[in-house]
Amino acid sequence: MKKIFSLFMAIVMVFSVLTATAFTANANTMSTAVPVSENQVYSTSVCGTVDDNFKSWVRFDCTQSDYYEFTCTGLTAPDGAMQITVYDSLNNIVNLAVNTTGANSFSAVTYLNAGNSYYFCVEISGSLYNFDVTIKRHSHMFTRSQYYKAVADDDEANRRHGFTKTTCPSCGEYSDTYVCVYPVAIALSKSKFTCDGAEKYPAVTVYDLNANIVPASEYTVSYEDNILPGKAFVTVTFNSNLYDGEMTKSFYINPKKQSITYLNSKKSKEITVKWTKDNDASGYELQYSTSPKFYKSKTKTIDVTKKTAVSKTIQNLKGNKKYYVRVRSYKTVGSERLYGVWGAMAGKKYIKTKK
């Protein structure tokens, strides 16, 4: 009776081995892929020297969208390249990983969508390999960090907050941690100056998107066109550990104060005015008034557009009448005029016309 039982057990063992071998051999195409559930350990083998069995396929039916690890373990010193290819149900490759280092454990990490079936193909060129396969949720290891500087720019579309990007090297998933917000505005201590031949350096304060002051140590300041009348510029350049880029701000330099050099009335009902030539001016404005305070209703303005002009005769005035006269230079910048300070003749408050 013992002999019969032993013989029966031997037959069962042989049958089991043959069945397992046939099961593995039949899993060498997508259509014969073995279904494997999450966290299940599936033992298989691949023979890289046999044409009909150099691949092993498994199928995974995803029920929850997430990153998953398909891992082969128990490899013993592979002597050839091992490749894991992940396909969707339409036979599109969604991931591919190659083990050329001889590692005993080898994984392919892939984001899978719920409701879809995915196929994992293990392919080896070399001898026979026996190993275990598991599919489990991937635990991110955010170990690779890189800081991206906050970017300042006059164009809002080019601005960016400063942040640290921490990446999981296994799957490429990343996490962003914001460090600082980008600068948005430059405030100047003064926006208008009067030309006196010296360079103008208004103090600079930079604000970020949250209206916080950006430390001056984070940027350098340069000035351009800041001597003669016209539009001048401040450039703030960021090149620190936290910030990059640059921003600009303009300010204005008005013409110098004008002065009248000659004021007289030699002919009836007219006044002759002469003033200092301003080589940096685009023209001059001349005003005469019967009011010492130049009330608008009692004041006339003459626009002298010829920048080389230094005199003007005002005619058709009232005879034997007091007139107050003043002049100023202006500089044209685009469609805008920058005006200097009004100036009169020193020691002479008014001129009285001849009858």
Side-chain angles (χ1 to χ4, degrees):
M1 185 66 179
K2 289 182 179 181
K3 290 183 179 181
I4 295 174
F5 180 76
S6 298
L7 180 61
F8 174 76
M9 290 301 296
I11 293 172
V12 169
M13 291 176 65
V14 170
F15 179 77
S16 299
V17 171
L18 292 175
T19 303
T21 302
F23 187 65
T24 301
N26 288 334
N28 60 357
T29 65
M30 179 182 283
S31 61
T32 59
V34 175
V36 176
S37 58
E38 186 177 345
N39 297 321
Q40 176 187 346
V41 178
Y42 168 61
S43 298
T44 185
S45 64
V46 173
C47 180
T49 59
V50 179
D51 290 340
D52 64 349
N53 194 25
F54 61 96
K55 296 180 181 179
S56 180
W57 289 77
V58 299
R59 188 188 81 229
F60 177 66
D61 299 323
C62 183
T63 58
Q64 184 173 339
S65 298
D66 206 342
Y67 282 91
Y68 290 84
E69 292 181 14
F70 179 87
T71 305
C72 301
T73 57
L75 299 168
T76 55
D79 57 1
M82 181 179 190
Q83 177 175 299
I84 298 173
T85 308
V86 185
Y87 298 84
D88 61 18
S89 57
L90 298 177
N91 203 28
N92 297 312
I93 296 177
V94 294
N95 195 8
L96 187 147
V98 179
N99 178 16
T100 59
T101 63
N104 293 330
S105 180
F106 177 47
S107 299
V109 181
T110 312
Y111 188 85
L112 307 180
N113 292 302
N116 295 331
S117 295
Y118 295 89
Y119 297 84
F120 298 83
C121 176
V122 181
E123 183 176 358
I124 294 180
S125 59
S127 57
L128 176 66
Y129 298 95
N130 298 297
F131 52 91
D132 295 331
V133 169
T134 57
I135 299 176
K136 63 180 182 179
R137 302 290 175 91
H138 172 62
S139 297
H140 299 300
M141 300 293 291
F142 294 108
T143 58
R144 186 181 300 160
S145 297
Q146 183 175 357
Y147 176 69
Y148 294 83
K149 295 181 181 182
V151 175
D153 198 277
D154 293 329
D155 186 349
E156 186 177 358
N158 297 328
R159 298 170 185 166
R160 183 186 69 199
H161 295 308
F163 65 96
T164 297
K165 182 176 182 179
T166 308
T167 308
C168 174
S170 299
C171 65
E173 181 71 355
Y174 61 89
S175 174
D176 291 344
T177 302
Y178 285 94
V179 177
C180 60
V181 298
Y182 55 74
V184 295
I186 300 172
L188 302 180
S189 59
K190 193 174 180 180
S191 61
K192 289 186 178 181
F193 294 84
T194 297
C195 178
D196 59 5
E199 292 183 306
K200 306 305 176 187
Y201 299 102
V204 170
T205 304
V206 179
Y207 294 90
D208 66 19
L209 186 62
N210 293 336
N212 296 317
I213 295 177
V214 178
S217 58
E218 301 294 336
Y219 56 83
T220 59
V221 180
S222 59
Y223 298 83
E224 185 179 357
D225 299 331
N226 60 330
I227 299 178
L228 299 178
K231 183 182 285 189
F233 299 92
V234 175
T235 300
V236 176
T237 303
F238 299 86
N239 190 16
S240 66
N241 292 330
L242 295 177
Y243 301 90
D244 204 356
E246 68 177 32
M247 297 170 62
T248 58
K249 181 78 172 180
S250 62
F251 62 96
Y252 295 95
I253 300 176
N254 295 326
K256 61 187 178 182
K257 183 178 179 179
Q258 189 54 260
S259 61
I260 294 175
T261 60
Y262 178 85
L263 182 61
N264 211 333
S265 177
K266 290 187 175 182
K267 291 184 179 181
S268 176
K269 300 180 182 181
E270 70 176 32
I271 297 171
T272 299
V273 186
K274 295 181 181 180
W275 57 85
T276 305
K277 184 179 179 180
D278 188 345
N279 292 322
D280 300 316
S282 302
Y284 306 90
E285 267 194 358
L286 181 67
Q287 283 189 344
Y288 60 97
S289 177
T290 57
S291 166
K293 294 187 178 180
F294 288 87
Y295 290 125
K296 188 175 181 180
S297 61
K298 297 182 178 183
T299 302
K300 300 289 185 180
T301 301
I302 300 173
D303 191 0
V304 181
T305 58
K306 188 176 181 180
K307 65 181 182 179
T308 57
V310 291
S311 66
K312 181 68 177 179
T313 298
I314 307 169
Q315 298 174 327
N316 301 319
L317 302 175
K318 292 181 180 180
N320 199 31
K321 184 76 172 177
K322 288 181 181 179
Y323 284 94
Y324 299 84
V325 183
R326 62 184 183 179
V327 67
R328 66 179 177 179
S329 305
Y330 66 80
K331 179 73 174 181
T332 303
V333 179
S335 59
E336 186 176 4
R337 279 185 178 183
L338 305 178
Y339 292 98
V341 179
W342 288 109
M345 187 169 182
K348 202 168 189 179
K349 295 183 178 180
Y350 62 87
I351 184 69
K352 193 172 185 179
T353 57
K354 281 195 171 186
K355 291 183 180 181

